[in-house]
Amino acid sequence: MKAIGVLTSGGDSPGMNAAIRAVVRYGVKNGLRVFGIERGYCGLIDGAIKEMNFASVAGIMEKGGTILRSSRCGEFLTKEGREKAAKNLAMLGIEGLVVIGGEGSLTGSVVFHKEFGVPVVGIPGTIDNDIAYTDMCIGVDTCLNTVVDAIQKLKDTATSHERAFIVEVMGRESGYIALMSAIATGSEAAIIPEVPVNLDQLAARLLEERKRGKLNCIIVVAEGAAKAEDVARKISAKIGYETRISLLGHIQRGGSPTAFDRLLATRMGVRAVQALLDGEKCVTTVLSAGKIEVMDTEKILSTKKQLDLSLYEISMILS
């Protein structure tokens, strides 16, 4: 193998730049030409591809987002679009691809490999932490720290005014962010997709805590479980607190990556290049028991990652 490409696809996550840096520099050190593909699969189709070197990735590790930019590409869902992408790779002599992204991005990599035989190594970059077989995905730790910081600040004003705050966080199908941030901030409840919630029972519990003199109340809601406005409408009159809503939104995706995410992204970037050099065809890097390994991407995608619900019980007990 003489040339590889790297792209970031789907929602951005802090640490993607560190992964790009590792892929470029480790690839160049191993005698490869490394090409950066802009705007994910859209850039692959449009030919927005440029060769990168050590200088191209200088000073990017500490930056959030992705210097290659990202997109969600409808055209890549078509056979014609993927054929254009394959022709662009062949024209530049690119023989392998590193795809940094979440479930949709990894799914695209499998289809592309099956149709055109291009070796593809995935790197899981998604703040939802919903990719199976990896303990953590790139960006999760930074996102969680951002959410915790925001909730702690809301807690200050909630205590000052004796209010309840209902905080909506990202997580369409996974309650990881909501649950972990609730535990880390001592929040009164986490409403997550994995566990049905009885809002009447929750309101009754919060009212009892209010009667015992509790000065604030924080409820963290994953967007896939409920909308903060709906929760507020159903319980605000029953819990004994004046209620406010806070939607954290896309602030959760941004910011300089934590040391953990920089290290994870760097290790996964190096392992991805090594996998291509070793002749792997369609695998994804995973963090397992502290080690970076590669696993068959189809196997990963066919398995739904399960949230450790013992942590949910802990959050209920300690709240």
Side-chain angles (χ1 to χ4, degrees), residues 146-148 150-151 154 167-170 246-252:
T146 298
V147 172
V148 167
I151 291 174
L154 290 171
V167 185
E168 186 178 305
V169 300
M170 287 183 172
S246 183
L247 310 180
L248 297 190
H250 286 80
I251 192 173
Q252 296 162 83

Side-chain angles (χ1 to χ4, degrees), residues 33-97:
R33 297 178 70 193
V34 183
F35 291 83
I37 299 156
E38 298 178 342
R39 295 181 290 104
Y41 290 123
C42 286
L44 201 56
I45 293 171
D46 297 338
I49 304 170
K50 59 184 180 183
E51 188 164 0
M52 303 181 78
N53 54 35
F54 264 59
S56 305
V57 293
I60 69 170
M61 187 187 294
E62 64 271 22
K63 295 179 180 178
T66 160
I67 63 164
L68 292 176
R69 302 190 300 283
S70 188
S71 67
R72 303 185 192 277
C73 185
E75 191 176 358
F76 196 75
L77 298 176
T78 69
K79 180 70 176 289
E80 293 76 16
R82 294 190 294 273
E83 189 171 7
K84 287 182 188 176
K87 286 180 179 178
N88 285 333
L89 291 182
M91 192 182 307
L92 292 169
I94 298 174
E95 303 162 273
L97 200 58

Side-chain angles (χ1 to χ4, degrees), residues 174-240:
S174 170
Y176 184 90
I177 298 170
L179 179 56
M180 296 306 171
S181 61
I183 293 172
T185 57
S187 297
E188 279 60 50
I191 299 176
I192 59 177
E194 292 85 351
V195 181
V197 63
N198 184 313
L199 292 178
D200 289 331
Q201 291 179 2
L202 174 60
R205 175 168 69 83
L206 297 176
L207 180 59
E208 287 303 310
E209 293 175 359
R210 175 63 170 149
K211 289 177 179 178
R212 289 199 300 269
K214 197 154 194 178
L215 296 179
N216 67 65
C217 172
I218 303 291
I219 302 168
V220 188
V221 183
E223 63 182 347
K227 293 300 178 186
E229 294 92 339
D230 296 337
V231 175
R233 187 175 64 252
K234 292 176 182 178
I235 72 170
S236 59
K238 305 175 184 178
I239 60 178

Side-chain angles (χ1 to χ4, degrees), residues 17 31 45 48 50 57 81 130 159 178 202 217 224 226 236 245 256-257 265 269-270 277 283 288 294 301:
N17 282 329
I45 293 171
K50 59 184 180 183
V57 293
D130 58 352
T159 302
L202 174 60
C217 172
S236 59
I245 294 170
S256 180
V270 167
L277 292 172
V283 296
S288 178
V294 292
L301 293 172

Side-chain angles (χ1 to χ4, degrees), residues 280-312:
E280 297 283 1
K281 301 300 182 185
C282 190
V283 296
T284 294
T285 60
V286 298
L287 174 67
S288 178
K291 297 180 180 180
I292 304 296
E293 302 173 350
V294 292
M295 289 188 64
D296 181 78
T297 304
E298 280 195 275
K299 180 179 179 180
I300 290 172
L301 293 172
S302 67
T303 306
K304 181 175 175 58
K305 187 169 186 175
Q306 301 298 318
L307 190 63
D308 184 355
L309 294 183
S310 68
L311 292 172
Y312 182 80

